[in-house]
Amino acid sequence: MDTAWLDDIKWDDKGLVPVIAQDKESGRVLMFAYANREAVALTAAKGTAHYWTRSRQKLWHKGEESGHFQHVEAIQLDCDGDVLIYRITQEGGIACHTGRESCFFRTLIDGEWRIVDPVLKDPHAIYGHSH
C-alpha cells in the first residue's frame, strides 16, 4: 500500500499526531491519544486502531490487552493537517481503561467534576491487574 499520504500529516517535534477516536454511529468522542507514523500506517493497513503510548514509549494496538479493539471505518485529517479522527466501531462498547464507554466520563457541574457514565465492566476483570 502506498503511504505517501502520511507525508500530508503535520507531525509534532516528537513525530506524533493527536488522534480522536469517535464512535461512527453516535458521534461520541470515546478517547484521545497520539499516534506516530507507524501507528497510523498500521491502522490504515489493518483496519484496527494503533497508537503510540507516551507513558510506555511504545506502539500500542488498542485492545491488545483488553480485547476491546477499535475497528476503524475512516481516518480523517483536519484542515491544518495536524489532528486525526479515527471513526470507529468500539468492540465490547468499552474504550476507557476504567471500564467505561468513553474516557470523557467526567462533566463539570456546579464547579466540580462529576462522574456521569457508569463502569460497564470492572477494570480488574478486563486487565487482571490495576491499570
Side-chain angles (χ1 to χ4, degrees), residues 89-108:
T89 299
Q90 178 64 59
E91 198 168 313
I94 297 171
C96 185
H97 75 278
T98 66
R100 292 177 174 88
E101 175 190 27
S102 171
C103 294
F104 298 93
F105 59 85
R106 293 179 283 196
T107 299
L108 186 62

Side-chain angles (χ1 to χ4, degrees), residues 18-71:
V19 181
I20 298 162
Q22 180 184 41
D23 184 278
K24 78 168 187 127
E25 294 300 325
S26 71
R28 183 167 189 199
V29 173
L30 300 180
M31 58 175 272
F32 168 86
Y34 288 90
N36 63 5
R37 189 178 180 97
E38 181 182 9
V40 177
L42 282 168
T43 298
K46 297 187 179 293
T48 54
H50 291 72
Y51 302 98
W52 177 261
T53 167
R54 294 179 306 160
S55 59
R56 293 178 282 166
Q57 289 291 297
K58 69 174 198 148
L59 195 64
W60 166 37
H61 185 197
K62 174 67 175 165
E64 65 192 357
E65 288 183 46
S66 66
H68 298 144
F69 294 97
Q70 293 177 340
H71 301 278

